Amino acid sequence: MFRTDGPAPADRRGGGDLMAKKGWLVDRFQRLMQKYPTLRHIATLASGTAIAQMIALGASMITARLFTPETFGQFAIYGSIVSIVATIASLRMDLTIVLPDNDDSARRIAKIGTVSNVFFAAGASLAAFLLHDLIVDIYGSRELAIWMPLVGLSIFFLAQVTVLQYWFNRKKDYRTISRNRIQQMAGSSGGQVTAGLAGFTTLPGLIIGTAIGPAFAFFNLRRKSQELLAPIPEDTPSSLDLLRRYKKMPLLNLPNALIDGIRLNGIPLMIGLVALDSVGQFSRAWSILQVPIGLMNGAISQVFFQKMSTVKPGEMYPLVKATMIRAILISIVPFGLIYLVSPWFFLLVFGSQWDLSGEIARALTPWLAMQLVTSPISTLFVVTENQIWLLGFSIVFAAAPLSLLYFSTLPLVTTLTIVGGVMALLLVGLLGMALVAARRFDARPHEAAHAS
């Protein structure tokens, strides 16, 4: 017969023990977050980034069936130009926003970045308009040439969102940054899906749909950062004074960022010289591989950049070493799985037209795994004022993949397998450089270490 008198006392005790354990774990987690604010900041940013990446992955399953690899190839060329210019549009002064001792100087730096963004964006659109025929000759796509002048709008929104995020980074308002990433990705992914379902399955559908995210992110962050628009006191250093004070940003860090942008985006630009559908296959593999990286990369990088900007000599080497170890441990499992299941995964999730993407993803796995390890400590060279080291490394790091692609006579997947291995080895060398830079920083007197 059925019993109606409730569970036995032992069952009640078991349920109570389970609830007590859950309560203990929650309390333990909360105390851990309070004791280690850096961990709390990373968790805040990582949660937002994780949601954003999941949104992008979900949307890509739909758009992969709405748009052809060739259309995504056209968009990859467009996006590569946007990424290269947006990276340098603010003269790298966006990174500097977290460094001044007072908010007034930081606000003026933000204004410098904004004005620079406007000029770069306008210049990019004008150049795209004037080079219409050259774009057609190089990539054989008149549609790409027609829509390329929209790069200015995409560049401005993307670069300006970065400026505003560094302001909130300065304020340690990681919750706002986290939410903004979700909103930005939801806008871009939703825009692409909406455009595709509405029948706009050509290049303008991807461009306009994607632009919704950065545009919304910009206006939302601008609304929340009204203090940036307030008058700046007259005794605040002038724009010229601040450019002189942080001259290493435009003089050294900007060329380094430009070289990095050319390296990352030069690959699809170069593949596009052969076939736009191959660019689409590559961009699909690359974007999906960014998901596990994006889950932690941006969060760790932003939080540790803010932390490293205030660290005292003697504390840098332990911080950098611990960051590297954590990043290595984080990367082992997800990238091991990616290497094993990529070919099967891409066919299952995106369809048979993306068969080459799975092979490309496997070829790139070693490189992307090491990128996850090195990215959090890349800003170390800015904080320790060793940008010239990073510039030299970046030149070699950019020349390696582009040279291999240009001179290789092997099939694309074989060439990319070699590229992935070479790039991974170079990034191991970067880890060694970072440890040396950290030790040298720790050897400085405290005053000299933070002089700009």
Side-chain angles (χ1 to χ4, degrees):
M1 297 293 292
F2 295 109
R3 295 184 56 178
T4 59
D5 55 350
D11 293 332
R12 292 193 188 100
R13 288 194 301 271
D17 291 343
L18 180 61
M19 293 300 294
K21 289 179 180 179
K22 288 182 178 180
W24 179 85
L25 287 173
V26 171
D27 181 66
R28 177 67 175 170
F29 179 77
Q30 291 175 343
R31 282 189 293 172
L32 190 65
M33 294 295 103
Q34 292 297 325
K35 184 176 181 181
Y36 300 103
T38 299
L39 185 61
R40 183 174 69 252
H41 297 329
I42 291 175
T44 299
L45 284 177
S47 62
T49 304
I51 295 172
Q53 293 291 344
M54 291 304 102
I55 291 173
L57 181 59
S60 67
M61 296 179 190
I62 302 173
T63 57
R65 291 169 169 81
L66 295 173
F67 299 88
T68 66
E70 183 176 357
T71 300
F72 271 108
Q74 293 173 328
F75 183 66
I77 301 298
Y78 176 93
S80 295
I81 300 299
V82 171
S83 296
I84 291 173
V85 181
T87 301
I88 63 171
S90 65
L91 300 177
R92 301 302 283 168
M93 293 301 287
D94 49 355
L95 286 167
T96 313
I97 292 173
V98 302
L99 298 180
D101 295 330
N102 61 83
D103 284 350
D104 291 329
S105 293
R107 287 161 57 211
R108 195 181 294 282
I109 290 172
K111 291 182 182 296
I112 295 171
T114 299
V115 172
S116 180
N117 287 341
V118 171
F119 277 101
F120 270 90
S125 286
L126 178 61
F129 178 78
L130 296 176
L131 297 175
H132 175 278
D133 293 340
L134 181 61
I135 295 172
V136 175
D137 291 340
I138 292 176
Y139 293 108
S141 173
R142 190 166 298 278
E143 186 176 35
L144 177 62
I146 291 173
W147 290 96
M148 187 63 81
L150 286 181
V151 292
L153 199 61
S154 298
I155 288 166
F156 174 78
F157 285 130
L158 192 60
Q160 198 60 23
V161 165
T162 302
V163 169
L164 294 172
Q165 284 188 349
Y166 273 107
W167 171 259
F168 286 101
N169 190 8
R170 175 182 176 85
K171 294 297 183 179
K172 298 183 180 180
D173 188 355
Y174 299 109
R175 187 177 298 276
T176 293
I177 298 175
S178 179
R179 289 176 177 173
N180 189 260
R181 286 178 177 170
I182 297 173
Q183 294 163 350
Q184 183 174 348
M185 187 59 71
S188 294
S189 299
Q192 287 184 355
V193 172
T194 301
L197 293 175
F200 299 103
T201 56
T202 55
L203 179 60
L206 283 177
I207 292 176
I208 297 173
T210 304
I212 294 174
F216 177 79
F218 165 71
F219 287 113
N220 187 47
L221 286 181
R222 172 57 72 190
R223 178 179 59 84
K224 294 182 177 181
S225 57
Q226 292 298 313
E227 56 188 316
L228 279 174
L229 302 177
I232 299 176
E234 294 183 359
D235 59 348
T236 304
S238 67
S239 297
L240 185 59
D241 289 337
L242 290 169
L243 282 169
R244 287 171 178 165
R245 179 180 180 184
Y246 298 106
K247 62 184 178 181
K248 287 188 177 181
M249 288 297 183
L251 293 180
L252 293 177
N253 196 268
L254 185 146
N256 173 66
L258 178 60
I259 293 169
D260 270 354
I262 292 173
R263 169 180 53 81
L264 290 173
N265 298 285
I267 294 176
L269 291 174
M270 188 165 290
I271 295 174
L273 298 176
V274 179
L276 286 174
D277 60 340
S278 295
V279 183
Q281 297 280 354
F282 173 86
S283 65
R284 171 69 54 186
W286 186 269
S287 63
I288 297 305
L289 285 175
Q290 295 303 310
V291 172
I293 293 177
L295 291 176
M296 289 301 295
N297 220 10
I300 296 176
S301 296
Q302 281 196 307
V303 172
F304 275 91
F305 177 57
Q306 195 282 331
K307 187 174 181 64
M308 283 190 292
S309 67
T310 58
V311 74
K312 298 177 181 179
E315 300 174 354
M316 183 67 80
Y317 183 83
L319 175 63
V320 172
K321 183 178 178 181
T323 303
M324 289 180 182
I325 293 173
R326 289 177 188 139
I328 290 172
L329 293 176
I330 289 171
S331 67
I332 292 175
V333 173
F335 282 97
L337 290 174
I338 288 171
Y339 187 85
L340 292 174
V341 306
S342 284
W344 167 82
F345 175 83
F346 276 80
L347 284 173
L348 176 67
V349 175
F350 302 113
S352 58
Q353 64 176 335
W354 298 99
D355 57 333
L356 188 61
S357 292
E359 298 295 336
I360 292 175
R362 172 176 283 179
L364 297 174
T365 297
W367 175 8
L368 274 295
M370 285 306 303
Q371 180 178 311
L372 176 63
V373 175
T374 57
S375 182
I377 52 89
S378 61
T379 51
L380 166 74
F381 298 97
V382 175
V383 175
T384 60
E385 299 182 11
N386 286 305
Q387 292 99 321
I388 190 66
W389 293 16
L390 195 58
L391 177 60
F393 176 84
S394 296
I395 293 173
V396 176
F397 202 59
L402 298 181
S403 298
L404 287 169
L405 281 169
Y406 183 79
F407 291 108
S408 177
T409 58
L410 300 172
L412 178 61
V413 173
T414 304
T415 301
L416 289 175
T417 301
I418 296 172
V419 169
V422 170
M423 300 302 275
L425 290 174
L426 288 173
L427 288 173
V428 172
L430 182 63
L431 292 180
M433 290 173 56
L435 291 173
V436 172
R439 280 199 180 279
R440 290 195 175 191
F441 179 88
D442 286 342
R444 301 181 191 178
H446 177 74
E447 296 78 7
H450 288 283
S452 296

PDB file of all heavy atoms in Angstrom, residues 39 43 95 150 168 171 195 199 201 237 289 341 411 442:
ATOM      1  N   LEU A  39      39.631  37.101  -7.781  1.00  0.00           N
ATOM      2  CA  LEU A  39      38.872  35.935  -8.219  1.00  0.00           C
ATOM      3  C   LEU A  39      37.415  36.307  -8.451  1.00  0.00           C
ATOM      4  O   LEU A  39      36.786  35.832  -9.397  1.00  0.00           O
ATOM      5  CB  LEU A  39      38.984  34.828  -7.165  1.00  0.00           C
ATOM      6  CG  LEU A  39      38.344  33.482  -7.501  1.00  0.00           C
ATOM      7  CD1 LEU A  39      38.980  32.886  -8.741  1.00  0.00           C
ATOM      8  CD2 LEU A  39      38.477  32.528  -6.312  1.00  0.00           C
ATOM      9  N   ALA A  43      35.397  35.995 -11.941  1.00  0.00           N
ATOM     10  CA  ALA A  43      34.152  35.236 -12.024  1.00  0.00           C
ATOM     11  C   ALA A  43      33.034  36.086 -12.626  1.00  0.00           C
ATOM     12  O   ALA A  43      32.227  35.600 -13.421  1.00  0.00           O
ATOM     13  CB  ALA A  43      33.752  34.749 -10.632  1.00  0.00           C
ATOM     14  N   LEU A  95      44.019  51.674 -23.447  1.00  0.00           N
ATOM     15  CA  LEU A  95      44.696  50.924 -22.391  1.00  0.00           C
ATOM     16  C   LEU A  95      45.173  51.826 -21.265  1.00  0.00           C
ATOM     17  O   LEU A  95      45.273  51.411 -20.114  1.00  0.00           O
ATOM     18  CB  LEU A  95      45.905  50.174 -22.977  1.00  0.00           C
ATOM     19  CG  LEU A  95      45.627  48.929 -23.824  1.00  0.00           C
ATOM     20  CD1 LEU A  95      46.892  48.530 -24.562  1.00  0.00           C
ATOM     21  CD2 LEU A  95      45.131  47.793 -22.973  1.00  0.00           C
ATOM     22  N   LEU A 150      31.088  50.701 -45.400  1.00  0.00           N
ATOM     23  CA  LEU A 150      30.448  50.674 -44.082  1.00  0.00           C
ATOM     24  C   LEU A 150      31.425  50.337 -42.953  1.00  0.00           C
ATOM     25  O   LEU A 150      31.055  50.393 -41.776  1.00  0.00           O
ATOM     26  CB  LEU A 150      29.308  49.652 -44.070  1.00  0.00           C
ATOM     27  CG  LEU A 150      28.017  50.034 -44.810  1.00  0.00           C
ATOM     28  CD1 LEU A 150      26.994  48.916 -44.682  1.00  0.00           C
ATOM     29  CD2 LEU A 150      27.447  51.339 -44.270  1.00  0.00           C
ATOM     30  N   PHE A 168      35.172  51.615 -17.303  1.00  0.00           N
ATOM     31  CA  PHE A 168      34.523  50.815 -16.269  1.00  0.00           C
ATOM     32  C   PHE A 168      35.509  49.841 -15.630  1.00  0.00           C
ATOM     33  O   PHE A 168      35.352  49.475 -14.464  1.00  0.00           O
ATOM     34  CB  PHE A 168      33.324  50.065 -16.857  1.00  0.00           C
ATOM     35  CG  PHE A 168      32.141  50.950 -17.119  1.00  0.00           C
ATOM     36  CD1 PHE A 168      31.866  51.400 -18.402  1.00  0.00           C
ATOM     37  CD2 PHE A 168      31.329  51.372 -16.082  1.00  0.00           C
ATOM     38  CE1 PHE A 168      30.791  52.234 -18.647  1.00  0.00           C
ATOM     39  CE2 PHE A 168      30.247  52.208 -16.317  1.00  0.00           C
ATOM     40  CZ  PHE A 168      29.980  52.644 -17.604  1.00  0.00           C
ATOM     41  N   LYS A 171      37.108  51.731 -12.944  1.00  0.00           N
ATOM     42  CA  LYS A 171      36.200  51.851 -11.815  1.00  0.00           C
ATOM     43  C   LYS A 171      35.936  50.499 -11.141  1.00  0.00           C
ATOM     44  O   LYS A 171      35.186  50.435 -10.157  1.00  0.00           O
ATOM     45  CB  LYS A 171      34.860  52.434 -12.290  1.00  0.00           C
ATOM     46  CG  LYS A 171      34.953  53.863 -12.795  1.00  0.00           C
ATOM     47  CD  LYS A 171      35.381  54.793 -11.687  1.00  0.00           C
ATOM     48  CE  LYS A 171      35.410  56.232 -12.124  1.00  0.00           C
ATOM     49  NZ  LYS A 171      35.805  57.135 -11.029  1.00  0.00           N
ATOM     50  N   ALA A 195      18.285  38.711 -39.833  1.00  0.00           N
ATOM     51  CA  ALA A 195      18.518  39.038 -41.243  1.00  0.00           C
ATOM     52  C   ALA A 195      18.408  37.790 -42.116  1.00  0.00           C
ATOM     53  O   ALA A 195      17.802  37.822 -43.195  1.00  0.00           O
ATOM     54  CB  ALA A 195      19.893  39.683 -41.412  1.00  0.00           C
ATOM     55  N   GLY A 199      15.358  36.575 -45.049  1.00  0.00           N
ATOM     56  CA  GLY A 199      15.699  36.401 -46.453  1.00  0.00           C
ATOM     57  C   GLY A 199      16.897  37.197 -46.920  1.00  0.00           C
ATOM     58  O   GLY A 199      17.295  37.104 -48.087  1.00  0.00           O
ATOM     59  N   THR A 201      20.141  36.944 -47.020  1.00  0.00           N
ATOM     60  CA  THR A 201      21.198  35.953 -46.826  1.00  0.00           C
ATOM     61  C   THR A 201      22.468  36.277 -47.620  1.00  0.00           C
ATOM     62  O   THR A 201      23.242  35.386 -47.938  1.00  0.00           O
ATOM     63  CB  THR A 201      20.690  34.556 -47.217  1.00  0.00           C
ATOM     64  OG1 THR A 201      20.205  34.591 -48.570  1.00  0.00           O
ATOM     65  CG2 THR A 201      19.580  34.110 -46.296  1.00  0.00           C
ATOM     66  N   PRO A 237      46.183  67.897 -16.714  1.00  0.00           N
ATOM     67  CA  PRO A 237      47.145  67.910 -17.821  1.00  0.00           C
ATOM     68  C   PRO A 237      46.442  67.921 -19.172  1.00  0.00           C
ATOM     69  O   PRO A 237      45.395  67.293 -19.345  1.00  0.00           O
ATOM     70  CB  PRO A 237      47.930  66.613 -17.611  1.00  0.00           C
ATOM     71  CG  PRO A 237      47.839  66.361 -16.145  1.00  0.00           C
ATOM     72  CD  PRO A 237      46.484  66.838 -15.728  1.00  0.00           C
ATOM     73  N   LEU A 289      36.644  28.166 -32.256  1.00  0.00           N
ATOM     74  CA  LEU A 289      37.763  27.950 -31.340  1.00  0.00           C
ATOM     75  C   LEU A 289      37.897  29.098 -30.337  1.00  0.00           C
ATOM     76  O   LEU A 289      38.494  28.931 -29.270  1.00  0.00           O
ATOM     77  CB  LEU A 289      39.074  27.794 -32.117  1.00  0.00           C
ATOM     78  CG  LEU A 289      39.280  26.460 -32.831  1.00  0.00           C
ATOM     79  CD1 LEU A 289      40.569  26.488 -33.654  1.00  0.00           C
ATOM     80  CD2 LEU A 289      39.330  25.311 -31.835  1.00  0.00           C
ATOM     81  N   VAL A 341      37.594  15.866 -31.255  1.00  0.00           N
ATOM     82  CA  VAL A 341      36.235  15.769 -31.808  1.00  0.00           C
ATOM     83  C   VAL A 341      35.917  16.803 -32.881  1.00  0.00           C
ATOM     84  O   VAL A 341      34.803  16.776 -33.429  1.00  0.00           O
ATOM     85  CB  VAL A 341      35.188  15.885 -30.669  1.00  0.00           C
ATOM     86  CG1 VAL A 341      35.454  14.867 -29.582  1.00  0.00           C
ATOM     87  CG2 VAL A 341      35.149  17.305 -30.076  1.00  0.00           C
ATOM     88  N   PRO A 411      48.520  21.496 -49.426  1.00  0.00           N
ATOM     89  CA  PRO A 411      47.092  21.759 -49.233  1.00  0.00           C
ATOM     90  C   PRO A 411      46.855  22.665 -48.023  1.00  0.00           C
ATOM     91  O   PRO A 411      47.689  22.726 -47.101  1.00  0.00           O
ATOM     92  CB  PRO A 411      46.495  20.359 -49.021  1.00  0.00           C
ATOM     93  CG  PRO A 411      47.462  19.433 -49.676  1.00  0.00           C
ATOM     94  CD  PRO A 411      48.814  20.055 -49.483  1.00  0.00           C
ATOM     95  N   ASP A 442      60.529  43.429 -10.727  1.00  0.00           N
ATOM     96  CA  ASP A 442      60.652  43.224  -9.281  1.00  0.00           C
ATOM     97  C   ASP A 442      61.973  43.733  -8.744  1.00  0.00           C
ATOM     98  O   ASP A 442      62.091  44.014  -7.547  1.00  0.00           O
ATOM     99  CB  ASP A 442      60.499  41.733  -8.947  1.00  0.00           C
ATOM    100  CG  ASP A 442      59.064  41.262  -9.067  1.00  0.00           C
ATOM    101  OD1 ASP A 442      58.164  42.123  -9.062  1.00  0.00           O
ATOM    102  OD2 ASP A 442      58.836  40.034  -9.144  1.00  0.00           O
TER     103      ASP A 442
END
